[in-house]
Amino acid sequence: MNEKALVIVPTYNERENINPLADRILALPGSVELLVVDDNSPDGTGKLADELVAKHPRIHVLHRKEKNGLGRAYLAGFQWALERDYEYILEMDGDFSHNPDDISRFLDAAKDADLVLGSRYCNGIRVINWPLNRLVLSMGAGVYVRTITGMPFSDPTGGFKCFHRRALESLNLDAVHSNGYSFQIELSHKVWRQGMRISEVPIIFTDRFLGSSKMSGGIVWEALLVVWRLWFQHGLRRWPKKMPAEKTDKSVTSKPAEKKNA
Ligand SMILES: Nc1nc2c(ncn2[C@@H]2O[C@H](COP(=O)(O)OP(=O)(O)OP(=O)(O)O)[C@@H](O)[C@H]2O)c(=O)[nH]1
Ligand SMILES: [Mg+2]
């Protein structure tokens, strides 16, 4: 792989995870780079990231003043990546819920797609260590999103994904407002509704072993409402604006849009 790939990892209080995560990314084939976006974590994650940056040219860090949500952190990371020459830009959690070894499969799939979504639910359920109510919430969210928006993906709230830079360039990132799970839904919807090509790769999701969860009721409410907004924005359509020119698999939709209309 010659094209440059960047994994963006937002962090808030991930001091136990940041060093082992960096090691795993540095060990990947193909010189994958890491951008940590830290929101001034009180546990000193940002300082650990600075130490990593001093040792490894493939690691970068963005420091933000205060905790402002995962969506804002990713948007800052995307902007940073687009100002540089990365071809593939990945999102990944910093708590080992996502396995860094899966990155190579995302990059393979991204050769034929504008966006690759990691899916816990295609061809079975692959979630380890979640209580049943959390699993039901997540799978129910998928049904809700598919029913209202028509987006056909098996795991639309997932946060392990890989954008080709042209997909991010096609979006007006200033117009992305959501921040929690709905951030993932909103970005995928804005790529999908232009008729860009989206594919899914199966992943195993493991609940965090170290550190603490930042999940909240507000994040769920935000997601419930955002889905309706996206449907309205898209003129109550439940299909992409441009119908597929060619299909290579059931979840892949047509060619990229020409202008920033999302
Ligand atoms: N920079 C930044 N990172 C965040 C923020 N909130 C969560 N994160 C990070 O985003 C990644 C995914 O977070 P989530 O999976 O939503 O939250 P979590 O704490 O892992 O909670 P659960 O996985 O739901 O138990 C983790 O690496 C978090 O540290 C935030 O406000 N700012
Ligand atoms: Mg997590």
Side-chain angles (χ1 to χ4, degrees):
M1 191 194 67
N2 297 323
E3 297 95 347
K4 284 176 74 178
L6 178 74
V7 186
I8 303 176
V9 176
T11 55
Y12 191 75
N13 289 347
E14 302 288 359
R15 66 168 297 123
E16 297 97 332
N17 291 312
I18 183 86
N19 284 320
L21 193 73
D23 287 343
R24 293 277 293 279
I25 290 172
L26 290 172
L28 293 173
S31 311
V32 174
E33 300 189 21
L34 165 66
L35 174 67
V36 176
V37 186
D38 186 69
D39 278 6
N40 202 9
S41 297
D43 76 347
T45 305
K47 193 164 174 292
L48 293 177
D50 284 336
E51 289 166 18
L52 286 165
V53 170
K55 277 190 258 170
H56 305 284
R58 278 199 276 141
I59 300 186
H60 315 277
V61 65
L62 268 183
H63 293 285
R64 290 159 52 80
K65 275 205 195 84
E66 57 189 9
K67 179 163 168 43
N68 209 359
L70 166 146
R72 297 303 104 186
Y74 271 129
L75 291 174
F78 293 156
Q79 201 182 348
W80 189 94
L82 291 176
E83 284 162 5
R84 292 163 179 81
D85 60 346
Y86 298 100
E87 193 82 4
Y88 300 109
I89 296 146
L90 293 102
E91 293 184 5
M92 191 177 80
D93 288 358
D95 57 1
F96 280 105
S97 284
H98 300 146
N99 182 349
D101 296 340
D102 288 337
I103 288 171
S104 310
R105 288 194 297 118
F106 278 83
L107 294 174
D108 278 348
K111 287 180 192 140
D112 299 313
D114 301 302
L115 169 61
V116 181
L117 304 175
S119 172
R120 299 163 282 192
Y121 309 124
C122 61
N123 308 322
I125 300 171
R126 289 171 308 279
V127 174
I128 296 173
N129 251 354
W130 257 5
L132 187 62
N133 60 356
R134 192 73 201 270
L135 183 65
V136 169
L137 178 70
S138 168
M139 295 188 71
V143 174
Y144 181 81
V145 171
R146 281 191 294 280
T147 307
I148 295 166
T149 66
M151 240 188 347
F153 310 116
S154 60
D155 191 4
T157 58
F160 198 4
K161 51 218 272 188
C162 174
F163 296 87
H164 192 280
R165 72 176 289 132
R166 69 179 158 258
L168 289 178
E169 280 169 348
S170 76
L171 303 179
N172 177 2
L173 295 176
D174 295 335
V176 176
H177 297 298
S178 49
N179 218 355
Y181 292 126
S182 50
F183 176 77
Q184 304 300 354
I185 304 168
E186 179 167 354
L187 281 192
S188 295
H189 190 264
K190 286 181 164 175
V191 173
W192 170 78
R193 74 194 190 194
Q194 302 179 72
M196 295 187 105
R197 298 170 305 162
I198 302 184
S199 62
E200 296 186 294
V201 294
I203 57 159
I204 298 174
F205 179 97
T206 311
D207 195 16
R208 62 161 73 240
F209 286 108
L210 297 169
S212 59
S213 173
K214 285 113 209 162
M215 163 86 172
S216 72
I219 286 175
V220 177
W221 276 110
E222 183 190 24
L224 286 173
L225 298 175
V226 161
V227 171
W228 291 100
R229 177 161 60 72
L230 292 170
W231 182 54
F232 278 103
Q233 268 180 3
H234 192 41
L236 311 191
R237 280 191 208 86
R238 298 182 68 261
W239 51 87
K241 236 176 207 162
K242 296 175 190 172
M243 292 309 287
E246 53 175 308
K247 283 197 171 189
T248 50
D249 83 28
K250 76 175 171 48
S251 57
V252 172
T253 61
S254 84
K255 60 185 194 303
E258 300 83 38
K259 59 178 193 317
K260 295 190 182 212
N261 57 358

